[in-house]
Amino acid sequence: MIRKAFLYGLIFALPLFLASCGDDDLKKADAVASSKKVNVARDRTLGVDIIYSDSARVKAQGYAPVLDKVTPANAAIYQEMPKGVKIDFYNENGQIDGNLVCDYAIRKDQELKTEFRKNVVVKSAKGDTFTSEELIWDEQKKIFYSNQRVFVKGVDGNVGNGINFKAPQDFSTYEMETGSGELNMKEGVAP
């Protein structure tokens, strides 16, 4: 009989206990949530063609399936390409002589830098292929760089990789640190 009375008391008291705890917790959670709110405007454009020119000459043309222009209330504007981007580079004759593809990109307007991330592949005019998880293009310095490991496969069969990569935006030359790789040397050729 005592057990039955205790069980009935517990059944009736438990909802009252839970209800009294829930109000204060919800008020605290709402206060925390409202203090963390950030106002962000996001404008989405689908199927974007981007043309980069310098001195009235087209140097590159890019395509992004999705381009989000993000305007935070208290921060710098940036453009995000969450579905990646494909860029063709043009030579002085207006012909495509290289390209870049990646799965994600973000351009920071104030910094004039574009970060290419996830499966980044660049094919240079010479035919060399560069792959990495991240390459950053500095528009002011006109260079690509990365602190991530970059792999290089040359048209001559040479392969290498290293960190602290840096190259001019045409990838005509490059430098990196802590490199390793395989070089194919021709026999009988003296300097």
Side-chain angles (χ1 to χ4, degrees):
M1 186 77 153
I2 294 176
R3 280 186 172 171
K4 210 177 208 184
F6 177 74
L7 186 60
Y8 285 128
L10 185 61
I11 290 173
F12 288 116
L14 187 60
L16 293 174
F17 175 74
L18 291 175
S20 67
C21 289
D23 289 341
D24 288 341
D25 291 341
L26 289 176
K27 289 176 187 175
K28 289 177 187 175
D30 191 38
V32 169
S34 65
S35 70
K36 303 255 184 202
K37 289 182 183 175
V38 177
N39 291 329
V40 175
R42 182 179 294 264
D43 295 320
R44 176 164 279 188
T45 306
L46 302 176
V48 177
D49 257 329
I50 304 163
I51 296 177
Y52 172 72
S53 62
D54 188 11
S55 303
R57 186 173 73 78
V58 174
K59 293 200 167 195
Q61 182 173 6
Y63 173 76
V66 177
L67 175 73
D68 291 336
K69 182 178 180 183
V70 181
T71 309
N74 297 323
I77 297 171
Y78 61 92
Q79 297 172 34
E80 188 175 34
M81 292 150 266
K83 301 278 185 188
V85 67
K86 180 186 186 291
I87 302 171
D88 291 322
F89 301 109
Y90 291 87
N91 62 20
E92 293 176 3
N93 299 327
Q95 298 171 331
I96 296 173
D97 67 355
N99 61 35
L100 180 150
V101 293
C102 67
D103 293 342
Y104 174 86
I106 183 168
R107 181 178 186 275
K108 298 177 180 178
D109 292 359
Q110 267 188 337
E111 296 177 29
L112 294 175
K113 290 183 181 177
T114 304
E115 297 175 16
F116 301 97
R117 298 184 194 149
K118 298 180 186 173
N119 301 313
V120 183
V121 179
V122 176
K123 186 123 183 184
S124 73
K126 295 188 318 186
D128 295 337
T129 302
F130 302 83
T131 58
S132 183
E133 286 302 304
E134 177 184 76
L135 277 178
I136 300 167
W137 177 44
D138 186 319
E139 292 178 43
Q140 291 178 318
K141 294 180 182 177
K142 297 185 179 189
I143 62 168
F144 279 89
Y145 67 92
S146 179
N147 296 325
Q148 301 290 319
R149 185 157 303 278
V150 176
F151 297 86
V152 181
K153 182 176 181 186
V155 292
D156 55 6
N158 294 334
V159 294
N161 68 79
I163 58 172
N164 296 328
F165 175 86
K166 187 163 55 166
Q169 63 189 16
D170 66 359
F171 285 87
S172 57
T173 61
Y174 63 91
E175 58 187 64
M176 57 184 151
E177 297 175 4
T178 318
S180 64
E182 295 179 20
L183 298 174
N184 296 315
M185 306 294 284
K186 293 182 181 180
E187 289 187 43
V189 178

